[in-house]
Each structure stands twice: as structure tokens, then as C-alpha cells.
């Protein structure tokens, strides 16, 4: 059956008072822009928090001995005191399709001294070539260069350098408890200084070639504390961890494979909270819009009481009259959605690719232990665009229910009296 | 209700209208002419008594059933034309046909052909794509006539169809309505002050104070 005249009437009625239609459609379209942009910013902030929080040092996924966390004892290396085939482990982790790169690490903790100054430090033994693809610290150098393998070079944070009053080429002394119960100590040359922006890292962390730290803390070359990995997408880390755990299980090493969602549950909680806020934003913005549309539709339908009475007299059922009003509202919603999309997507592309930099207002800040740059970066979310579009159409329809019911209840005899 | 008190608009009306006859309901303003027309069309229901339309007791029908009955059997002509402003002349004429098709749960046969034919019969073949605002009053009422006959109604109800037209245009509309009424074999029920129009009817019913004060047969249908 061909569509009745009611859709035509609903659609064309939008053109009867174009200014009113344009104002209402503009309100809904800007509501769409506001929601998509706000949600995009929330998602952008969340994405930056996760990226920064996982990429600065921790990586998106880590492999440890089952007993290593949370105490992080120096002798709880992967594979226990016998150690493991590190190259094979790295190969198995990197073989997962979601993994971008993997790097082995050794940790130690002790005193870092220079002259009269001494500070506590966390020492990280790294393979600089691999580490560069897993974390960002080696890219945050403010001076010098990463430590060369096979040397006694060390990379320290800018705050540690300030506290120790050292610069590139200066020597520092490390005194650390070793895995065999002895105290390891040696002289190291500062090859580089990094500045991550995170106070804890810049004041306490130092990085050196992995074999150099293994020597210092008396660990064999096959004994490491951690394999850290980066993923192509942070949200793929949980599934990748499951696959890698299953892949490594036959080796019988007694290891844990944990994604960032378990290593940094507070970040996951925030991401989930942000998603819940997306709905709050939708409800608030379109909740306000409902009253604007309701006002417009009430005025429009009141002006058309006689038209509805004629339609009822000609044999239109009250339900069909209501349908005409709802068709008009839905047409208005579609028009607004198209207008909203036209103004929203260029703004989204701009804010995604060249987010306005607000560093002239305030500097970097930390959020859940992640360094956030003051930029209005937005993330694309097709799902939220669609849901916001549906919310816009529902707003138009819900706002028109009452006017539609009133229109269907127009008393034709009284209204047509004297026509 | 008027001023919080019940108001009796019609009383003791006992009227039977023969099929294919033309009946004019006349009387002064406030005599209940339009209310009677609304009751006969099922737009309203009487608080007492009953109305039967083409053998169907309207009192027993729901609002939707009465709407369906009107779509199938009743045509309307209004004093102020009352075309739907967002539809073209052709689309306005199509409305009752589409409603009838829906009521009968099937598509009408060639509804556009029927609508075009009616517009041609009222002399508006070249104005079918014009909107009401682009038509003169007389043209709008001719579209109203075409719309009223579109669903081949058994009864045509016209409420002051020439009330908003000048004498010449009103005369043209009257002639058209009478001619179409004869050609289509429709029962015509006219509410009018226009004596020229009333004179075209077979029977004149005069109301006063809500009661029939005269029921005069002028000619045979």
C-alpha cells in the first residue's frame, strides 16, 4: 500500500513556518553537536589518559612471575631462580596479533649518590632498542642519549638530576641490594636526562642497559622481572593477555599475564565512569531540547486545530491525525539530524586532527598518574554518533506525543462549527 | 454546556432523508443547523435519541468506526473551503480516496485518474499542482467540491458552501454542486442561508430554536 498523505502533510508542514522550523531544527542540531563534541572530548581525555598512563612506562600488558606482584622482590624473576629463555618468551608475546612490541626488564631499588647528595631510586634495566617501541621514556630525553648496551651508562630523570646536581657525563654511584643478599655498588656515567612530566618518574627513576643492572644486582642474563608489551589498541590488551597466557601456559613457568585494565584498574573505572557520563550528557542536553520542541509543536498544532477537525470530518481516524503530528516531528528530527551532522563532523575532524592547544592557559597536568596535555582532543565514536542521532529522533518524537494526542482529540463538530 | 449549565441545542427532531434527494436545512443563526449536520455525519453523538446513516446506527459505533463510515459514505463541503494547505489541489482531492482505500483495506482503483477527472469536471484541470494559497476562493471551493465527491459518497453534507463567495462565484459553485450531485447520484444535505441555493433542493427543513418548524417538499427527487 502506498504511504498515505499524512507523511506528505507532516513533511510539508515544516515548510509552512520556515523560520520556526529552522530555529527548532537549529536547536536540535546544536544539541547534537554539543553531545557529540562533549562525548568526543570525554573519550579523547580517556584515550589520552590510557595512552599516556600505559605508554609512559608500564606498557599495555605485562608478564611477571606469579609471585612478583605486589611485593616486587628482586629474586622473583620469571621462571624462578632458574630463569627462562627470554628470547623465546619475547617471541611468544610478540607473536600475538594485537601486540606491537615487547621488551624485557629488570628492576632494582637502592640509593643513587653524587657527591654529598643521595636519593632513593628505582632502577630499570632495559634493552634500549626494544624499549623504544614499548614505552615513551626514551623519547622524553631533554639532554644526552639513551645508555649504550655494554657500558656503565645511565639515564636519569630531570628531578633526580637536579637533586643530585649532575649533568650529562657526570658520574653517580649506585648502591643496591642484590638478589644473592649482597649489596651491589658501582659507578655510572649519566648519558641522558629525561623529563616525563610525572613527578614520581622524574625524581625516582633511572634506566640502564639490562645486562648492566643484572650484573649489579647479581642476576643471570636469563633472569628478568618483567616483559612489557605495547598493543596496537589499548582496548585489545585484555583479549591479548588471555591469548598470551594460554600460549605461555605449556612452558610451566608459573607466570601471570596482565593487561593494563588489571594493572591500573582505576583507569578502567574512570573510562567506565566516563561512558556513564556520556549518557548523562545525552539526557541533559536532549532533556532541555524536549521542552523547546514541545513548545514549537504545541504552537504549530494549536494553529492547525481546524485542519485536524477537517481531517477527522473527512474520515481520518484520531490515530492517523496523531500520526501526522508525529510524522512532522520525525521529519523535523531527520532534518535536524542532517543539519547536526553537517555542522558536527567538520568540527570533529578538526578537533581530532588538530586539537586546539590550551597550553597558553595552563600547562600539562596529571590525571590518574597519567600526563595529560591541555588540548581539546576529541575521539571518534561511531557508536555514540549513532546513539546520539537516535536520541535526537526520540527527543523529537517524545516532545510531540502530547501535541499529537491533543490534535487527535480535537472535537470536530465544535471546531468546524461555523466553518 | 454553556456557562456551566446544560444547553439543549436540538429537541424533538424526527427526520428521515430519502436517498438521492436534496434537502436544504435553513433557519436563523443559532437555530441548530450545523449541530444537526454534525450529528447526522457522526461528528458528534446526541445525548438523547439516535442517528442512523445508510442503515448504520451511529450511536453504536466507536469514534474510529464512525471515521471509517464517513470515509466511505460521506462527503463534506465547508463554508471556508478547508483545504489542507500543505497539499496541492490534486492531493487534496486524493485524501478521501486514500482514506476510503484504507478503510476498505485495499488500494482504490486508479485514484489519481478519479481525482484528475473530478478536477477537470470542476474546471480546474490546469490547476491540479497548485496549492490552496495559490487559488482564488471560488477555485478553492471547486477543489472542495471535487474532494467532497472523490470517494463517491452516498451523502454529501454542505455547510454554507457559498457563504464565503460573492454572488457570481457562489452561483457557479451551486450549479456545479447540483450537477455533480445529479451525475453521481448522491444524497445532498445542505445547511444554508442562501435562498437561491435552498431553492435547488427537493425539500426544505426549517429549524428554529433547535426544533423543526417547517418541513416542506418542493419537488420530487
Amino acid at each position: 500500500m502506498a504511504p498515505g498523505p499524512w507523511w506528505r502533510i507532516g513533511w510539508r508542514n515544516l515548510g509552512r513556518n520556515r523560520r520556526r522550523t529552522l530555529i527548532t531544527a537549529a536547536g536540535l542540531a546544536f544539541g547534537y553537536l554539543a553531545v557529540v563534541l562533549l562525548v568526543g572530548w570525554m573519550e579523547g581525555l580517556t584515550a589520552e589518559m590510557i595512552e599516556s598512563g600505559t605508554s609512559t612506562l608500564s606498557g599495555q600488558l605485562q608478564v611477571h612471575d606469579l609471585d612478583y606482584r605486589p611485593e616486587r622482590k628482586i629474586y622473583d624473576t620469571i621462571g624462578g631462580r632458574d630463569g627462562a629463555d627470554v628470547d623465546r618468551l619475547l617471541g611468544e608475546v610478540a607473536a600475538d596479533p594485537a601486540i606491537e612490541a615487547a621488551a624485557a626488564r629488570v628492576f632494582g631499588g637502592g640509593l643513587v649518590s653524587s657527591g654529598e647528595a643521595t636519593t632513593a631510586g628505582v632502577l630499570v634495566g632495559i634493552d634500549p632498542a626494544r624499549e623504544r617501541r614499548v614505552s615513551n621514556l626514551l623519547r622524553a630525553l631533554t639532554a644526552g642519549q639513551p645508555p649504550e648496551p655494554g657500558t656503565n651508562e645511565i639515564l636519569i630523570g630531570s628531578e633526580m638530576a637536579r637533586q643530585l646536581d649532575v649533568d650529562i657525563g657526570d658520574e653517580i654511584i649506585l648502591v643496591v641490594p642484590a638478589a644473592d643478599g649482597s649489596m651491589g655498588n658501582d659507578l655510572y656515567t649519566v648519558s641522558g636526562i629525561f623529563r616525563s612530566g610525572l613527578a614520581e618518574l622524574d625524581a625516582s627513576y633511572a634506566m640502564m642497559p639490562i645486562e648492566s643492572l643484572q650484573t649489579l644486582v647479581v642476576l643471570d642474563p636469563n633472569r628478568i622481572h618483567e616483559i612489557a608489551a605495547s598493543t596496537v589498541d589499548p582496548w585489545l590488551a585484555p583479549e591479548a593477555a588471555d591469548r598470551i597466557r594460554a600460549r605461555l601456559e605449556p612452558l610451566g613457568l608459573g607466570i601471570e599475564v596482565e593487561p593494563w585494565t588489571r594493572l591500573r584498574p582505576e583507569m578502567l573505572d574512570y573510562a567506565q565512569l566516563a561512558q556513564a557520563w556520556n549518557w548523562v550528557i545525552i539526557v541533559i542536553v536532549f532533556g532541555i531540547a524536549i521542552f523547546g520542541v514541545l513548545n514549537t509543536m504545541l504552537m504549530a498544532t494549536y494553529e492547525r486545530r481546524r485542519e485536524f477537525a477537517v481531517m477527522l470530518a473527512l474520515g481520518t481516524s484520531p490515530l492517523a491525525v496523531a500520526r501526522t503530528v508525529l510524522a512532522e516531528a520525525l521529519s523535523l528530527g531527520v532534518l535536524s539530524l542532517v543539519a547536526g551532522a553537517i555542522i558536527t563532523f567538520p568540527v570533529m575532524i578538526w578537533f581530532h586532527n588538530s586539537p586546539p592547544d590550551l597550553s597558553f592557559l595552563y600547562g600539562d597536568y596529571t590525571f590518574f598518574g597519567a600526563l595529560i596535555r591541555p588540548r581539546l582532543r576529541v575521539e571518534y565514536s561511531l557508536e555514540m554518533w549513532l546513539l546520539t542521532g537516535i536520541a535526537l529522533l526520540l527527543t523529537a518524537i517524545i516532545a510531540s506525543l502530547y501535541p499529537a494526542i491533543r490534535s487527535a482529540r480535537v472535537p470536530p463538530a465544535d471546531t468546524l462549527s461555523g466553518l | 454546556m454553556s456557562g456551566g449549565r446544560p444547553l439543549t441545542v436540538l429537541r424533538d427532531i424526527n427526520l428521515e432523508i430519502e436517498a438521492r434527494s436534496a434537502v436544504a436545512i435553513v433557519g436563523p443563526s443559532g437555530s441548530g443547523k450545523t449541530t444537526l449536520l454534525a450529528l447526522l455525519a457522526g461528528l458528534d453523538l446526541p445525548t438523547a435519541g439516535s442517528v442512523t446513516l445508510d442503515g448504520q446506527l451511529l450511536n453504536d459505533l466507536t469514534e474510529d468506526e464512525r471515521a471509517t463510515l464517513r470515509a466511505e459514505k460521506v462527503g463534506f463541503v465547508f463554508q471556508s473551503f478547508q483545504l489542507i494547505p500543505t497539499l496541492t489541489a490534486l492531493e487534496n482531492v486524493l485524501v478521501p480516496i486514500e482514506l476510503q482505500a484504507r478503510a476498505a483495506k485495499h488500494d482504490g482503483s486508479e485514484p489519481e485518474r478519479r481525482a484528475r477527472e473530478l478536477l477537470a469536471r470542476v474546471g480546474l484541470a490546469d490547476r491540479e499542482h497548485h496549492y490552496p494559497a495559490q487559488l482564488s476562493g471560488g477555485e478553492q471551493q471547486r477543489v472542495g467540491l471535487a474532494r467532497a465527491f472523490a470517494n463517491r459518497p452516498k451523502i454529501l453534507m454542505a455547510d454554507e458552501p457559498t457563504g464565503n463567495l460573492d454572488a457570481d462565484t457562489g452561483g457557479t459553485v451551486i450549479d456545479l454542486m447540483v450537477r455533480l450531485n445529479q451525475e453521481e447520484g448522491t444524497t445532498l444535505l445542505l445547511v444554508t442561508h442562501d435562498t437561491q441555493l435552498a431553492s435547488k433542493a427537493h425539500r426544505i427543513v426549517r429549524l428554529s430554536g433547535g426544533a423543526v418548524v417547517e418541513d416542506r417538499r418542493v419537488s420530487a427527487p
Side-chain angles (χ1 to χ4, degrees):
Chain A
M1 187 180 290
W6 320 123
W7 276 101
R8 281 198 299 269
I9 294 171
W11 171 250
R12 290 183 192 169
N13 202 55
L14 293 178
R16 275 168 83 173
N17 194 329
R18 286 184 188 165
R19 186 178 301 172
R20 185 163 61 197
T21 299
L22 282 176
I23 289 171
T24 311
L28 282 171
F30 277 102
Y32 183 81
L33 169 72
V35 170
V36 170
L37 211 54
L38 284 173
V39 168
W41 277 331
M42 291 283 279
E43 303 233 328
L45 176 64
T46 305
E48 180 147 351
M49 176 194 73
I50 292 168
E51 277 172 27
S52 171
T54 58
S55 301
T56 304
L57 183 64
S58 67
Q60 279 101 42
L61 180 148
Q62 293 179 356
V63 181
H64 304 115
D65 182 79
L66 269 176
D67 295 329
Y68 184 64
R69 290 191 314 132
E71 288 87 357
R72 294 179 177 266
K73 290 175 181 162
I74 196 164
Y75 44 80
D76 284 332
T77 51
I78 294 174
R81 291 176 189 276
D82 295 333
D85 182 345
V86 176
D87 287 338
R88 183 177 175 192
L89 281 178
L90 286 169
E92 294 285 358
V93 172
D96 189 274
I99 298 296
E100 211 166 46
R105 291 170 179 171
V106 170
F107 290 91
L111 296 175
V112 186
S113 303
S114 173
E116 299 290 311
T118 299
T119 184
V122 177
L123 307 175
V124 188
I126 57 165
D127 174 347
R130 286 180 176 272
E131 191 64 39
R132 210 182 293 274
R133 297 180 59 206
V134 172
S135 66
N136 290 333
L137 266 192
L138 294 184
R139 292 181 215 150
L141 297 188
T142 55
Q145 58 191 25
E148 283 289 328
T151 65
N152 264 18
E153 290 182 344
I154 192 165
L155 173 70
I156 62 173
S158 55
E159 178 58 19
M160 182 185 279
R162 190 192 67 79
Q163 288 176 13
L164 297 176
D165 193 22
V166 295
D167 211 333
I168 305 299
D170 292 345
E171 290 184 327
I172 57 175
I173 300 165
L174 301 183
V175 181
V176 297
D180 63 352
S182 65
M183 290 298 288
N185 61 84
D186 208 341
L187 204 59
Y188 290 83
T189 304
V190 176
S191 69
I193 295 171
F194 67 82
R195 185 182 176 282
S196 69
L198 296 172
E200 183 193 350
L201 281 182
D202 294 342
S204 308
Y205 275 65
M207 304 178 101
M208 52 208 289
I210 190 166
E211 66 279 1
S212 180
L213 185 57
Q214 282 169 325
T215 304
L216 184 66
V217 298
V218 194
L219 286 174
D220 292 336
N222 67 339
R223 293 188 71 185
I224 59 168
H225 292 117
E226 178 175 289
I227 290 176
S230 57
T231 54
V232 290
D233 177 344
W235 291 105
L236 296 177
E239 287 175 23
D242 290 342
R243 288 193 298 267
I244 292 168
R245 193 178 302 115
R247 192 193 284 264
L248 297 182
E249 197 138 330
L251 301 179
L253 295 173
I255 56 173
E256 65 168 15
V257 182
E258 298 288 25
W260 66 268
T261 49
R262 287 172 61 88
L263 295 166
R264 304 285 304 274
E266 75 281 4
M267 288 205 301
L268 179 65
D269 289 345
Y270 175 78
Q272 288 169 339
L273 181 69
Q275 284 198 326
W277 268 103
N278 292 345
W279 290 105
V280 174
I281 291 170
I282 286 180
V283 168
I284 289 174
V285 171
F286 287 118
I288 294 168
I290 275 182
F291 292 101
V293 179
L294 173 64
N295 182 44
T296 302
M297 293 303 292
L298 266 181
M299 280 196 295
T301 51
Y302 188 78
E303 289 168 3
R304 293 165 61 205
R305 281 168 56 85
R306 290 182 170 184
E307 185 181 321
F308 295 133
V310 170
M311 286 163 67
L312 289 164
L314 292 179
T316 309
S317 68
L319 182 64
V321 170
R323 221 161 45 202
T324 304
V325 176
L326 292 177
E328 181 180 338
L330 193 57
S331 301
L332 178 68
V334 170
L335 188 72
S336 309
L337 186 55
V338 171
I342 289 171
I343 59 172
T344 299
F345 295 140
V347 175
M348 290 295 287
I349 291 168
W350 171 37
F351 276 48
H352 180 77
N353 293 320
S354 308
D357 190 344
L358 301 185
S359 54
F360 65 93
L361 288 175
Y362 54 95
D364 294 350
Y365 61 97
T366 55
F367 191 58
F368 285 103
L371 184 71
I372 307 292
R373 287 159 295 177
R375 297 184 312 163
L376 295 178
R377 167 187 164 183
V378 300
E379 277 297 301
Y380 297 144
S381 171
L382 185 62
E383 184 191 358
M384 284 311 295
W385 295 351
L386 290 174
L387 288 174
T388 307
I390 292 169
L392 184 152
L393 296 178
L394 282 177
T395 298
I397 292 172
I398 291 169
S400 303
L401 282 176
Y402 177 60
I405 292 168
R406 275 176 59 112
S407 304
R409 288 184 177 166
V410 164
D414 291 346
T415 310
L416 291 173
S417 178
L419 297 182
Chain B
M1 299 286 281
S2 175
R5 287 179 300 177
L7 184 69
T8 304
V9 181
L10 297 172
R11 54 193 162 81
D12 301 330
I13 304 276
N14 190 358
L15 199 62
E16 190 169 339
I17 295 167
E18 295 169 48
R20 293 171 182 267
S21 65
V23 177
I25 300 172
V26 297
S29 296
S31 59
K33 303 186 298 292
T34 299
T35 303
L36 177 61
L37 197 70
L39 289 176
L40 296 176
L43 293 175
D44 222 340
L45 287 175
T47 48
S50 63
V51 180
T52 303
L53 178 64
D54 195 32
Q56 192 98 40
L57 187 61
L58 298 186
N59 305 52
D60 289 346
L61 302 182
T62 64
E63 205 171 353
D64 279 355
E65 287 168 338
R66 280 183 276 132
T68 304
L69 188 72
R70 281 196 299 276
E72 288 176 334
K73 297 183 176 176
V74 180
F76 271 104
V77 179
F78 303 98
Q79 179 178 345
S80 303
F81 329 130
Q82 296 304 323
L83 301 179
I84 295 174
T86 46
L87 299 181
T88 62
L90 180 68
E91 288 166 345
N92 263 288
V93 179
L94 273 167
V95 167
I97 306 176
E98 289 179 309
L99 279 173
Q100 193 182 43
R102 267 153 218 284
K105 306 284 184 204
H106 61 75
D107 280 329
S109 60
E110 300 180 52
E112 286 205 10
R113 187 191 55 77
R114 167 77 176 161
R116 287 203 166 91
E117 177 209 314
L118 280 164
L119 280 175
R121 284 163 72 183
V122 298
L124 293 173
D126 57 339
R127 310 300 297 272
E128 61 185 43
H129 295 302
H130 286 70
Y131 287 90
Q134 298 167 314
L135 301 172
S136 69
E139 287 170 333
Q140 286 189 53
Q141 192 60 303
R142 280 146 69 189
V143 175
L145 275 178
R147 177 178 70 180
F149 284 99
N151 58 339
R152 294 190 168 88
K154 289 202 165 181
I155 183 164
L156 177 71
M157 299 192 177
D159 191 358
E160 301 282 8
T162 56
N164 276 13
L165 301 173
D166 59 57
D168 285 350
T169 312
T172 307
V173 167
I174 290 169
D175 291 343
L176 259 175
M177 188 166 67
V178 170
R179 182 163 59 79
L180 283 169
N181 193 51
Q182 284 168 353
E183 289 170 2
E184 297 284 327
T186 311
T187 304
L188 177 62
L189 196 55
L190 275 170
V191 165
T192 186
H193 282 104
D194 186 340
T195 49
Q196 185 196 351
L197 179 55
S199 68
K200 306 276 182 180
H202 304 123
R203 179 180 166 195
I204 296 174
V205 175
R206 186 175 301 279
L207 291 184
S208 181
V212 175
V213 293
E214 182 188 358
D215 186 351
R216 180 163 55 95
R217 193 170 294 277
V218 180
S219 62

